[in-house]
Amino acid sequence: MIIIIIMLKAEKNTNCDCGCGPTCGCASGKRCSRRRKAVLQTLSEAKGHLTAEQVYRSVGQKLPGTGLATVYRSLKCLCGCGKARELKYGDRPAVYEAAGVRSPHGHLLCLACGAVREFSDPAADRLRERLAAEYGFAPQAGWLEIRGTCARCAGVKERK
Amino acid sequence: MIIIIIMLKAEKNTNCDCGCGPTCGCASGKRCSRRRKAVLQTLSEAKGHLTAEQVYRSVGQKLPGTGLATVYRSLKCLCGCGKARELKYGDRPAVYEAAGVRSPHGHLLCLACGAVREFSDPAADRLRERLAAEYGFAPQAGWLEIRGTCARCAGVKERK
DNA sequence: GTTCTTGCAAAGGCTTTGCAGTTCT
DNA sequence: AGAACTGCAAAGCCTTTGCAAGAAC
């Protein structure tokens, strides 16, 4: 199986005036602590997508002692601010990526092997526009996801 | 937020020779017990999508005493056989629908209110074909998912 | 009789939350 | 100082699994 996710548009503003509650710790105070910055930096430097666990390990090297909960809270805060995006594939753990680093792109994920690939396709934009007009949806922070079977995994069970 | 999911193609065969292991209970024996039938029937009769919990309650009325675990196992089995489909939206519980009852369609889901809508769009097929050719993916059981903000939750354009 | 299916309860994985101490403006 | 942020551990949610009993072929 494959999931194709197409980032259609950038999210919110980049200023930390997101609406996330006090839990995520960036609602009113809008502070940007070292850990939070480290989390964002980790995402920005990453080539692909990272799970919270991976971010946790990476940040742990820069700022020893950083807790997993903090990473989760930071990720949530960053996503709320539009500085990061969260992607979920089926029952796999969520993966994150920094927003704005690259242009909107699609994601290809094979549920069998879990690999994620990116791509861009103008058809996605047209589709988005049509749907937006037809259903009144505003997929501003949206993406497009398709599941199927990737080439490699399809080749494996080709004998069927 | 919205997720637009487009069913691109029907899944596997409808015969119960799926590859799911002994856990789901339909690998080699291919039995179709009353509970399993009840689960499938519930999905078929449902207008929209149902969560495992909803299926559980529904089946519980037809066949009192049916356990939640059985429902989950049945759903997994049915999905493996291609008789049902599982849809996951972000961190919400998975929802299910019977396959083959209706023609392939897309799904619109608002993450804010959780509502799911369906639609069809030829652009989805074209997109699928192009991606299949370009990346060698076979989104046979796939769908297309877009996230954004739905009309009602956006509190703006009212137009169905 | 053998193999598959169930119920119940317990476990599991990922993520969130409570709380008290720490850090930042 | 006062509000945010953090770590740790515990809790939560949805889903899966272990096991013995029951049902199907």
Side-chain angles (χ1 to χ4, degrees):
Chain A
M1 274 200 170
I2 296 171
I3 298 181
I4 299 176
I5 298 180
I6 302 176
M7 295 337 238
L8 293 173
K9 199 174 175 183
E11 266 94 308
K12 299 179 184 176
N13 59 340
T14 308
N15 299 313
C16 206
D17 58 358
C18 63
C20 35
T23 302
C24 91
C26 90
S28 38
K30 302 166 199 164
R31 291 179 187 168
C32 207
S33 67
R34 289 178 303 149
R35 328 244 160 200
R36 202 109 88 204
K37 284 177 183 169
V39 169
L40 183 55
Q41 190 190 350
T42 294
L43 286 182
S44 300
E45 295 173 352
K47 294 186 186 65
H49 309 88
L50 301 177
T51 63
E53 183 68 32
Q54 295 174 312
V55 173
Y56 168 61
R57 284 203 292 274
S58 178
V59 171
Q61 297 188 319
K62 300 173 184 170
L63 295 174
T66 302
L68 221 201
T70 296
V71 171
Y72 271 107
R73 278 188 281 232
S74 296
L75 287 171
K76 194 157 201 173
C77 171
L78 292 171
C79 287
C81 300
K83 292 174 179 171
R85 268 183 292 249
E86 178 190 66
L87 309 174
K88 285 203 157 193
Y89 313 118
D91 45 7
R92 290 173 190 284
V95 292
Y96 301 84
E97 68 169 10
V101 198
R102 293 161 294 184
S103 58
H105 53 272
H107 292 145
L108 312 185
L109 173 109
C110 179
L111 284 181
C113 59
V116 180
R117 287 179 193 168
E118 304 178 351
F119 74 96
S120 297
D121 196 306
D125 290 319
R126 288 198 294 277
L127 183 60
R128 183 201 90 211
E129 286 166 19
R130 180 173 330 152
L131 293 172
E134 199 164 335
Y135 300 90
F137 286 159
Q140 48 180 180
W143 59 79
L144 203 144
E145 185 178 306
I146 300 176
R147 301 189 184 188
T149 309
C150 82
R152 189 165 46 154
C153 292
V156 174
K157 44 184 174 182
E158 193 69 6
R159 349 171 194 136
K160 167 66 177 158
Chain B
M1 275 204 169
I2 297 171
I3 298 182
I4 300 175
I5 299 181
I6 302 175
M7 294 339 240
L8 293 173
K9 198 174 176 182
E11 266 95 307
K12 299 180 185 176
N13 57 341
T14 308
N15 299 313
C16 204
D17 57 358
C18 64
C20 36
T23 303
C24 90
C26 90
S28 40
K30 303 163 198 167
R31 292 179 187 170
C32 207
S33 66
R34 288 179 305 151
R35 328 246 160 198
R36 202 108 89 204
K37 284 177 183 170
V39 169
L40 182 55
Q41 189 190 353
T42 295
L43 287 181
S44 300
E45 295 173 352
K47 294 187 187 65
H49 309 88
L50 301 177
T51 63
E53 183 69 30
Q54 294 173 311
V55 173
Y56 169 61
R57 284 203 292 273
S58 178
V59 171
Q61 298 188 317
K62 299 173 186 172
L63 296 174
T66 302
L68 221 201
T70 296
V71 170
Y72 272 108
R73 279 188 281 232
S74 296
L75 287 171
K76 193 157 202 173
C77 171
L78 292 170
C79 287
C81 300
K83 291 174 179 170
R85 268 183 294 249
E86 178 190 65
L87 308 174
K88 285 203 155 192
Y89 313 117
D91 47 6
R92 290 174 189 285
V95 292
Y96 301 84
E97 69 170 8
V101 199
R102 292 160 297 186
S103 57
H105 54 270
H107 292 144
L108 312 185
L109 174 109
C110 178
L111 283 182
C113 60
V116 179
R117 287 180 193 168
E118 305 178 351
F119 74 96
S120 297
D121 196 305
D125 291 318
R126 289 198 293 276
L127 182 60
R128 183 200 90 212
E129 286 166 18
R130 181 174 327 153
L131 293 172
E134 198 164 335
Y135 299 91
F137 287 159
Q140 49 179 179
W143 59 79
L144 202 143
E145 185 178 306
I146 300 175
R147 301 188 183 189
T149 308
C150 84
R152 188 166 48 153
C153 290
V156 200
K157 354 179 177 178
E158 278 301 309
R159 179 179 171 188
K160 294 179 82 173

